[in-house]
Amino acid sequence: MADSSEGSDIDEVINSDLNEIRQDDFNELNDIPDDVDVPADRVVREQWIQAMFREEEGEMREFVGFQEEWKTNNFHSREKIPYNRKPGAKIEIPDVVTPIQVFSRIFTEELWMRLVTETNLYADQTRSATPSNSKWVPVTVKEMKTFVGLCLAMGILRLPSRRDFWRQKKWLFRTTIPQAISRDRFDIIWRYLHLQDNKSNDVKQSDKLWKVRWYLDYLKDRFQELYEVDGFVSVDESMVKFKGRLAFRQYLPLKPTKWGIKVWVMAESSTGYVSNFQVYTGREGGSSEKGLAHRIVMDLAGPYFGSQLSIFMDNFYSGVPLFEELKAHGLNACGTVRSNRKGIPPKPPAMEKHRYQVYQKDDLTFCAWQDTKVVLVLSNYHEPMAEGSVRRRRGEDIQREVRVPACVSDYQKHMKGVDLLDQMVSYYQFQHRSKKWWRRLFFFFLSVSCYNSFIAARSAGAYKGCYKEWQEDLAQELVTPVTAKSAPQCAAAPVTASAEHDCEKIFEKRKICRECSLSKSGTEARPGATVYGCRQCNVPLHIECFGKHCRSTRK
């Protein structure tokens, strides 16, 4: 008994001492600095947490940011921080501007010189390794601009074959392109067009995009220097059509272009302006990349950290970890989400059509809305109780406004950026066939550069026309050294009865005389060839056949 009594006394002393220690610790925790570590002792740690979040009235306030469960009521509001960058063109654009003035801020003289240098170098390397009888003269910057300008023009004026642009026998195919550049010269520039020295030691051959890497990086920097988005962007895939043999060729059955090269694109929601992009080169090391969608979004959003930019994406990318990380980097995010993603609430039971259920956890808002099927939307900045509207038929012929959570209406409004880009670029894109995959990327981003320059000029109010007129004017400015509106025709006007004709040597190679070909048609006689022809009509003619040709045009 003595031992028991003595032990009890000892326990009381120890407990008293521990209580005094814990009370002292508790008193000190009320004004604890931020850099103090969490106490290891369980009791002291609990007191430490209580002291950190005790209000003046003595009641515990909610620990916002560390909730363990989703809740469907008692939502807390959050402060909406506005986008802190000035949207619009970053450069000074005059009140009246021509396309070449803005386009030259993307395709600078440095880029043109690089194209010319690499093309001439590749031609020399190829012809020294495999001698050719074709005539080659080093290409100049002016010729390269003409070549690119004609490619833009061919995206608008489409013919079955590239060679049809130089056909002159039938009036249906007569264009002014032969007066800008000969067919053979265009073909040989097309043949030797190049972007990167194959023998250079400065490139990483392990990079699957090494042939176009500098070109893509250069354009990406120019896009971000030219224009600032308005605070709402969408992230989605864009497909560059290519059906040839390529290790990283992709198949997306739901896209209009099903086979090709996948490009991850961040585009402004309202205009489709491309602010950032990344070409997908497939699996690395034979295995799928874990967290691919998470990495892609973070890479594309990197230049906008801290700007409070709002990013919209589909269910391939959306997830709780991604949205929490974007929030930590000062970015807003909203998108549809898959029901099997970790961290989201279970799908609610069936609801009446156009009914919805909202959940909240920390800065995240989750919504399940019953449309024709359940639509799940996740956001890291929308208020749970905020509402918007979408248009639905509700089984009727006339569309009506339907009240939905704000995250659903905003998603429908701002998720169209990349689709708008694909639509606009596809209208007038140069699509001539080639076995070289990198040419597809070159001409795709040429079209994107043309469209981006159009958006920048229109945002400044310096251009009132449509995108088709912009590309037409740009093509003509690249081909001719004058502005588009005052540019003369590249070729003479169609010959009339009062027009004068000149017989000159206008061809480098001998061509079939037109009059001989017409007169000997249906016979076994072969028409002769000549380097002479009518300057105004651009047709080959023998000198002795020239008078007959002039008389026939005056009838």
Side-chain angles (χ1 to χ4, degrees):
M1 295 294 294
D3 295 339
S4 176
S5 176
E6 184 178 357
S8 177
D9 294 338
I10 294 174
D11 290 340
E12 291 178 1
V13 172
I14 293 175
N15 291 334
S16 177
D17 293 339
L18 287 175
N19 290 334
E20 292 177 2
I21 294 173
R22 292 169 181 168
Q23 184 64 34
D24 293 338
D25 291 339
F26 176 80
N27 293 334
E28 294 176 1
L29 287 173
N30 286 324
D31 192 24
I32 192 167
D34 295 336
D35 57 348
V36 174
D37 295 332
V38 178
D41 184 89
R42 181 179 62 83
V43 177
V44 178
R45 183 169 63 251
E46 292 176 355
Q47 296 172 345
W48 182 82
I49 295 175
Q50 293 175 3
M52 286 285 290
F53 302 100
R54 187 176 301 277
E55 295 183 340
E56 294 181 358
E57 296 80 5
E59 297 179 356
M60 294 296 293
R61 62 183 174 88
E62 184 180 8
F63 192 179
V64 178
F66 293 88
Q67 293 173 211
E68 296 181 357
E69 301 295 338
W70 292 88
K71 60 182 181 180
T72 57
N73 51 30
N74 297 326
F75 299 131
H76 62 266
S77 62
R78 56 173 66 93
E79 181 183 359
K80 179 67 168 66
I81 305 176
Y83 182 59
N84 56 27
R85 296 189 183 181
K86 183 180 179 181
K90 292 184 177 181
I91 63 173
E92 184 177 353
I93 297 179
D95 294 337
V96 179
V97 70
T98 59
I100 194 67
Q101 291 176 287
V102 185
F103 183 75
S104 62
R105 304 302 291 265
I106 299 176
F107 266 62
T108 62
E109 289 301 320
E110 178 186 356
L111 191 149
W112 288 116
M113 285 301 302
R114 181 74 180 264
L115 284 176
V116 169
T117 302
E118 295 297 341
T119 299
N120 290 332
L121 178 61
Y122 179 68
D124 294 339
Q125 293 173 348
T126 304
R127 296 173 72 85
S128 61
T130 307
S132 174
N133 293 327
S134 60
K135 184 179 180 181
W136 168 253
V137 177
V139 67
T140 63
V141 172
K142 183 177 180 180
E143 280 184 309
M144 184 59 71
K145 289 183 178 180
T146 298
F147 174 84
V148 171
L150 291 179
C151 290
L152 291 174
M154 291 174 182
I156 298 174
L157 179 63
R158 298 186 180 183
L159 294 178
S161 171
R162 190 169 70 239
R163 291 204 163 197
D164 288 339
F165 289 97
W166 283 269
R167 290 177 62 180
Q168 297 294 315
K169 290 185 179 180
K170 296 182 179 179
W171 67 266
L172 182 64
F173 294 99
R174 289 181 186 174
T175 68
T176 59
I177 289 179
Q179 313 307 322
I181 191 172
S182 69
R183 183 194 64 189
D184 293 340
R185 184 59 176 169
F186 185 94
D187 287 345
I188 203 166
I189 294 176
W190 170 270
R191 177 183 178 184
Y192 293 125
L193 179 67
H194 218 66
L195 302 178
Q196 179 63 55
D197 181 9
N198 293 339
K199 300 180 180 180
S200 175
N201 296 324
D202 298 333
V203 297
K204 296 180 180 179
Q205 297 288 344
S206 58
D207 182 6
K208 296 179 182 179
L209 296 173
W210 65 271
K211 282 184 175 290
V212 290
R213 176 60 67 188
W214 74 265
Y215 174 71
L216 300 180
D217 291 343
Y218 190 87
L219 290 185
K220 187 185 303 182
D221 293 339
R222 300 292 82 73
F223 292 167
Q224 295 174 9
E225 292 175 359
L226 177 64
Y227 181 83
E228 191 68 76
V229 297
D230 61 4
F232 298 96
V233 298
S234 62
V235 172
D236 205 353
E237 306 94 1
S238 183
M239 290 290 285
V240 180
K241 186 177 181 180
F242 184 74
K243 291 187 176 181
R245 297 182 63 179
L246 182 63
F248 51 90
R249 186 187 63 175
Q250 299 291 307
Y251 174 67
L252 297 181
L254 300 181
K255 288 285 186 179
T257 302
K258 294 176 173 52
W259 290 96
I261 303 171
K262 184 192 295 185
V263 183
W264 314 103
V265 177
M266 175 183 284
E268 187 178 38
S269 299
S270 58
T271 63
Y273 184 94
V274 177
S275 59
N276 206 353
F277 63 86
Q278 193 174 104
V279 179
Y280 179 57
T281 56
R283 297 180 177 181
E284 299 292 341
S287 60
S288 300
E289 179 182 349
K290 293 184 179 180
L292 172 65
H294 187 116
R295 179 188 63 80
I296 290 297
V297 175
M298 295 305 298
D299 288 349
L300 295 179
Y304 296 92
F305 283 172
S307 66
Q308 302 302 321
L309 178 72
S310 297
I311 306 173
F312 293 81
M313 61 199 79
D314 60 26
N315 58 24
F316 175 75
Y317 309 91
S318 301
V320 171
L322 172 62
F323 281 32
E324 289 178 340
E325 186 171 351
L326 288 172
K327 191 66 175 180
H329 284 88
L331 296 173
N332 302 321
C334 177
T336 55
V337 63
R338 297 176 182 176
S339 59
N340 60 352
R341 293 290 193 193
K342 293 183 179 180
I344 67 170
K347 184 185 296 186
M351 298 177 288
E352 295 182 10
K353 193 169 185 179
H354 298 157
R355 298 291 183 180
Y356 59 85
Q357 178 66 55
V358 180
Y359 304 79
Q360 187 184 46
K361 176 183 176 182
D362 305 330
D363 287 326
L364 299 179
T365 298
F366 174 79
C367 169
W369 177 57
Q370 182 70 48
D371 196 23
T372 52
K373 61 180 181 179
V374 178
V375 179
L376 306 179
V377 178
L378 185 67
S379 173
N380 70 358
Y381 76 99
H382 281 96
E383 290 285 351
M385 299 305 296
E387 287 189 341
S389 63
V390 295
R391 298 185 66 84
R392 290 292 185 272
R393 294 188 185 278
R394 280 189 167 180
E396 303 174 4
D397 293 337
I398 302 176
Q399 289 186 345
R400 300 183 184 277
E401 296 288 339
V402 177
R403 302 301 296 175
V404 296
C407 56
V408 176
S409 60
D410 284 353
Y411 175 82
Q412 186 180 38
K413 179 180 179 182
H414 297 296
M415 188 53 202
K416 62 183 180 180
V418 179
D419 293 335
L420 178 59
L421 167 74
D422 290 340
Q423 176 187 359
M424 297 303 296
V425 168
S426 65
Y427 285 152
Y428 317 113
Q429 188 175 355
F430 182 72
Q431 292 280 15
H432 290 191
R433 296 170 65 90
S434 175
K435 294 181 179 180
K436 297 181 178 181
W437 60 267
W438 61 264
R439 283 185 180 171
R440 286 289 184 170
L441 286 178
F442 173 77
F443 288 110
F444 173 77
F445 284 104
L446 170 64
S447 298
V448 172
S449 301
C450 179
Y451 182 70
N452 275 5
S453 63
F454 166 70
I455 295 299
R458 193 178 66 175
S459 69
Y463 193 82
K464 304 301 182 182
C466 64
Y467 175 56
K468 176 175 175 289
E469 295 174 350
W470 176 271
Q471 185 163 327
E472 290 173 352
D473 292 349
L474 176 60
Q476 192 165 343
E477 285 182 298
L478 288 171
V479 173
T480 58
V482 293
T483 59
K485 293 183 179 179
S486 61
Q489 293 288 338
C490 295
V495 178
T496 62
S498 60
E500 296 182 357
H501 299 265
D502 297 314
C503 184
E504 300 177 7
K505 183 178 180 181
I506 60 175
F507 300 103
E508 295 182 0
K509 294 185 178 180
R510 295 170 63 85
K511 296 189 176 183
I512 300 298
C513 173
R514 181 176 182 179
E515 293 297 328
C516 292
S517 177
L518 293 175
S519 62
K520 297 179 181 180
S521 177
T523 66
E524 296 182 356
R526 297 181 62 183
T530 179
V531 295
Y532 288 87
C534 178
R535 169 67 65 183
Q536 285 73 14
C537 301
N538 191 42
V539 295
L541 295 167
H542 289 118
I543 297 178
E544 56 271 20
C545 297
F546 179 71
K548 183 179 178 181
H549 168 74
C550 293
R551 289 192 298 271
S552 64
T553 57
R554 294 191 178 99
K555 292 181 181 179

